[in-house]
Amino acid sequence: MKVVKALDEQNVEQEHTEQEQVTDKKTGYVHIKKFHFILILFFLVLLSTGITTFALSFGEEKVITVGTERSEFDKLYAAYDTLKSGYFEELDQKKLINGAIDGMVKALDDPYTDYMSVEEAENFHSSINSSFQGIGAEIQEKDGHITIVSPIKGSPAEKAGLKPNDIITSVDGKSLQGMTSSEAVTIIRGKKGTKVELTIQRPGTDAPVKVPIIRDDIPIETVYGEMVGDGIAKVQVTSFSTNTSKDLAAKLNELQKEGMKGLVLDLRQNPGGLLDEAISISSMFVPKGKLILKVEDRNGKTQEYPSQNDGNPDFPLVVLIDKGSASASEILAAAVSESAGVKLVGETSFGKGTVQTAKDFPDKSNIKFTTAKWLTPNGNWIHKKGIKPDIEVPLPEYASLSIINPDKELKLSSSSTEVESAQKMLKAIGFDPGREDGFFDEKTQAAVSSFQAANNLPADGVLKGDSTIKLMEKLREMIETNDTQLQKAVEVLKEEMK
């Protein structure tokens, strides 16, 4: 790569009258003859490409030795030099270089490939390896929008009612339009106890809703399990982090001691995580030697990953998936379905069929980029299509109701989509408002007062603050109690246990 630059380009143009440049193709030298001035040349060490350019001066004739020819970068360096010499303000070289890398990454139009600043890279590593502070939601950039993949179980995001596919349009009034997911994470995260207000647009609703959330510690506890009766256990895996396979093995051993004879493995709203963990966990349920997945590179070369287990577990299994099940959770679901004949129950999964790797730079910034696509054991690519369950079961309609802003006051004569959501929530938990059209009348007021009295809240008939939060909390409990997907999975499992 040739980089020839004068320290004061403007003065050189005024002083010299003749310049001849000759490139010797055999030797790789560029000879520049200049008259009437002494030209000072400098060399640049290009850390990102390993290219070094040396400049040597011999009186009036200058000989520049070019280490490596990279003509595709000529335009990039010309743009850099133009800005460096001609921009009306002093330039931040580091900022320009970071911007150039970020621009290359964005040109790929791949929501899973990101350049991360030092701060963004720290957030990325902490979300995989340890606890962090924030709202607790996996997000991605999709079609130019920042979209929720899944809220983390027990997180402030889940408690606030965020759902997969919710679009975050702004944070504290700042638009996220055009941001990468890494840039958005930096804005959304913050110290425990601080408040952040998200503007959420839920698909199928007309108006966006402002959702205030108090940030908290988000521990990376990824395995939750309990006995649900009749020798059946339910284990939920919320993501695939560093110790997930180890924690799952311990939980299964614990549940077997409690009498587990069948297992419902819940992968709903699991946004994925580490490939190695997905392979380790899949190996717990797929017979040894049978395929877990295939990874195909850009040249079409395929690497197969067989199970390392000694055989099937000694209990029947059913797996739950939904539209928030993505990436590594889809690897696991596809592996047990196609290589172990396990039934899948729920809704079609998210559909992420690519593999990413991350590379740290010396300054601790990072690039996460797509390296391959993964295929199911039968060679299916589920990208943007998802995995269709054997038995499709939706949750009740009220499980997808729009969230309500607790800071907004809903009272007599109010009319809005949030009032409509509140009316449907009240009816679902047993406080019939008499109507569900979004107009807050006397019957709605009476339903709110009854709900407040039943929950030891001031019975003023106004829905705001603690009353709104309690209403959404009670709805979430109702969804868990009337979990139609889990009920169907248990039913299927009982048939297999006979």
Side-chain angles (χ1 to χ4, degrees), residues 322-342:
D322 69 1
K323 56 190 174 184
S325 305
S327 192
S329 57
E330 292 175 295
I331 290 174
L332 174 54
V336 297
S337 174
E338 295 183 3
S339 291
V342 170

Side-chain angles (χ1 to χ4, degrees), residues 110-112 140 142 149-150 164-165 270-272 321-331 333 347-356 373-374 376 380-388:
D110 177 4
Y112 306 110
Q140 73 155 31
K142 182 180 181 182
V149 176
S150 282
N165 294 322
N270 180 324
I321 58 173
D322 69 1
K323 56 190 174 184
S325 305
S327 192
S329 57
E330 292 175 295
I331 290 174
E347 300 169 307
T348 299
S349 64
F350 182 83
K352 179 179 179 293
T354 55
V355 179
Q356 284 71 41
K373 60 183 181 181
W374 68 265
T376 71
N380 298 315
W381 194 36
I382 59 94
H383 197 59
K384 296 185 178 180
K385 296 181 291 184
I387 300 170
K388 188 175 180 179

Side-chain angles (χ1 to χ4, degrees), residues 209-231:
V209 178
K210 291 184 179 180
V211 184
I213 301 177
I214 303 299
R215 299 178 178 103
D216 203 348
D217 288 322
I218 312 297
I220 306 301
E221 183 179 352
T222 60
V223 178
Y224 303 82
E226 61 180 342
M227 297 297 296
V228 295
D230 299 323

Side-chain angles (χ1 to χ4, degrees), residues 272-404:
L274 300 176
L275 175 61
D276 289 349
E277 288 294 299
I279 293 171
S280 295
I281 293 172
S282 298
S283 291
M284 296 180 186
F285 306 107
V286 173
K288 186 174 183 178
K290 288 205 169 188
L291 284 184
I292 291 172
L293 81 157
K294 304 174 184 178
V295 175
E296 182 179 303
D297 67 18
R298 65 183 180 184
N299 298 316
K301 183 179 179 181
T302 301
Q303 182 176 355
E304 296 184 343
Y305 291 84
S307 172
Q308 302 300 311
N309 199 13
D310 292 330
N312 281 317
D314 54 1
F315 48 81
L317 173 69
V318 172
V319 171
L320 278 170
I321 58 173
D322 69 1
K323 56 190 174 184
S325 305
S327 192
S329 57
E330 292 175 295
I331 290 174
L332 174 54
V336 297
S337 174
E338 295 183 3
S339 291
V342 170
K343 288 283 195 303
L344 304 180
V345 175
E347 300 169 307
T348 299
S349 64
F350 182 83
K352 179 179 179 293
T354 55
V355 179
Q356 284 71 41
T357 190
K359 176 181 175 61
D360 288 326
F361 293 115
D363 67 350
K364 304 302 181 183
S365 61
N366 173 287
I367 185 169
K368 175 172 70 74
F369 57 101
T370 301
T371 56
K373 60 183 181 181
W374 68 265
L375 311 175
T376 71
N378 293 343
N380 298 315
W381 194 36
I382 59 94
H383 197 59
K384 296 185 178 180
K385 296 181 291 184
I387 300 170
K388 188 175 180 179
D390 299 291
I391 304 169
E392 291 192 71
V393 183
L395 288 172
E397 185 179 345
Y398 54 75
S400 58
L401 287 175
S402 294
I403 48 190
I404 306 171

Side-chain angles (χ1 to χ4, degrees), residues 79-150:
Y80 175 85
D81 288 345
T82 299
L83 291 173
K84 185 79 173 175
S85 63
Y87 192 68
F88 83 106
E89 290 180 342
E90 189 72 23
L91 295 180
D92 183 333
Q93 179 176 310
K94 183 178 179 181
K95 188 175 181 180
L96 282 182
I97 293 171
N98 286 341
I101 299 171
D102 193 42
M104 280 194 291
V105 167
K106 285 181 178 177
L108 297 173
D109 196 24
D110 177 4
Y112 306 110
T113 295
D114 276 330
Y115 171 68
M116 306 178 209
S117 67
V118 175
E119 183 181 2
E120 291 165 351
E122 287 175 355
N123 286 334
F124 171 72
H125 288 305
S126 68
S127 66
I128 293 177
N129 296 318
S130 63
S131 65
F132 59 91
Q133 294 182 343
I135 69 166
E138 177 81 9
I139 64 172
Q140 73 155 31
E141 186 277 323
K142 182 180 181 182
D143 300 327
H145 301 292
I146 299 300
T147 304
I148 300 286
V149 176
S150 282

Side-chain angles (χ1 to χ4, degrees), residues 201-276:
Q201 180 70 60
R202 179 161 291 173
T205 61
D206 296 329
V209 178
K210 291 184 179 180
V211 184
I213 301 177
I214 303 299
R215 299 178 178 103
D216 203 348
D217 288 322
I218 312 297
I220 306 301
E221 183 179 352
T222 60
V223 178
Y224 303 82
E226 61 180 342
M227 297 297 296
V228 295
D230 299 323
I232 294 175
K234 186 196 86 165
V235 173
Q236 183 178 13
V237 178
T238 59
S239 68
F240 293 77
S241 297
T242 308
N243 295 314
T244 301
S245 58
K246 178 182 175 182
D247 292 343
L248 178 59
K251 179 58 68 176
L252 293 178
N253 287 333
E254 176 187 316
L255 292 170
Q256 281 185 301
K257 292 176 182 177
E258 295 179 23
M260 177 177 66
K261 294 181 174 61
L263 173 66
V264 175
L265 186 61
D266 190 352
L267 301 179
R268 292 175 297 177
Q269 299 197 35
N270 180 324
L274 300 176
L275 175 61
D276 289 349

Side-chain angles (χ1 to χ4, degrees), residues 456-473:
N456 300 315
L457 295 165
D460 57 7
V462 176
L463 204 56
K464 184 183 179 182
D466 290 341
S467 292
T468 302
I469 293 170
K470 178 61 72 172
L471 177 60
M472 290 193 289
E473 180 184 311

